[in-house]
Amino acid sequence: MWQNPARNIEIKARINDVKAIVNKVAELCKTEAEVIDQTDTFFKTENGRLKLREFKNGTGELIYYERPDTDGPKLSNYSKSMVTDPTSLKAVLQMALGTNGIVKKTRTLSRFNQTRIHIDEVVGLGNFLELEVVLQDSQTPADGITTAQLLLEILGIPASDLLSGSYLDCLNLL
């Protein structure tokens, strides 16, 4: 295990009425959302998941995370590193590790207190809500789960719409 990883409670759900969720999130957050185009390339690893996230401006992030594939809110331990040349890094990682797949999405990011609220339009899959409750050192996973469940209730997301895996898992099932 690693020392002092960043932690969040993450939950994903399918969205049936995007406009209604966008309106609820805007009302809740009372700030302008940020729209971000992202391409995530996942690499083969023995443990956890490693992805290179590329942005339109030519920068990126290398992200390693460990998270169970279970229904409902789940603890994710992660570490990120900013990347100024994602194209060459991707080539090196592909040669060294091989890839598991690519996820392309347009993400609308809003923030509410310690939670990042994403409304994602994933190419080939559709529309999703993702909550990331960023935990402070003094908080337990149970604290984050309580926050996530409260936000799901406020946004009107039923338990039947929750996902257990990642977008890549869903794409690989197609």
Side-chain angles (χ1 to χ4, degrees):
M1 219 14 130
W2 10 322
Q3 294 201 1
N4 300 329
R7 304 172 306 141
N8 67 30
I9 296 298
E10 183 177 308
I11 192 161
K12 284 183 177 68
R14 186 168 294 284
I15 297 176
N16 297 312
D17 186 347
V18 176
K19 188 174 181 179
I21 294 297
V22 166
N23 290 338
K24 287 179 183 180
V25 169
E27 186 178 312
L28 178 69
C29 297
K30 296 181 181 11
T31 60
E32 190 74 23
E34 179 182 1
V35 177
I36 310 163
D37 289 318
Q38 300 176 340
T39 300
D40 293 345
T41 302
F42 288 80
F43 301 95
K44 295 178 182 176
T45 59
E46 287 188 31
N47 301 305
R49 294 174 193 231
L50 179 67
K51 67 183 172 185
L52 177 63
R53 173 166 288 158
E54 297 174 85
F55 302 107
K56 271 190 167 180
N57 69 0
T59 65
E61 296 174 319
L62 186 63
I63 304 167
Y64 175 77
Y65 63 99
E66 295 175 346
R67 181 190 70 221
D69 289 329
T70 57
D71 289 337
K74 51 199 131 289
L75 178 64
S76 178
N77 295 306
Y78 64 95
S79 185
K80 295 195 286 188
S81 179
M82 295 304 298
V83 176
T84 57
D85 185 5
T87 302
S88 65
L89 179 59
K90 181 168 55 176
V92 170
L93 290 170
Q94 285 174 324
M95 285 188 286
L97 303 173
T99 58
N100 282 334
I102 296 174
V103 174
K104 294 182 179 188
K105 64 183 172 285
T106 299
R107 169 165 282 175
T108 302
L109 168 64
S110 299
R111 290 179 175 84
F112 181 73
N113 296 331
Q114 70 190 84
T115 303
R116 294 185 298 247
I117 302 173
H118 306 146
I119 299 172
D120 292 335
E121 183 179 344
V122 182
V123 174
L125 283 182
N127 297 297
F128 299 86
L129 172 77
E130 181 181 79
L131 302 176
E132 291 178 347
V133 182
V134 181
L135 297 175
Q136 298 171 9
D137 291 341
S138 62
Q139 290 182 298
T140 66
D143 296 330
I145 289 170
T146 299
T147 299
Q149 289 173 331
L150 178 63
L151 286 170
L152 288 175
E153 192 175 310
I154 290 169
L155 297 172
I157 304 293
S160 59
D161 288 346
L162 300 182
L163 297 181
S164 59
S166 69
Y167 297 143
L168 181 63
D169 295 334
C170 294
L171 283 168
N172 286 338
L173 292 174
L174 297 178

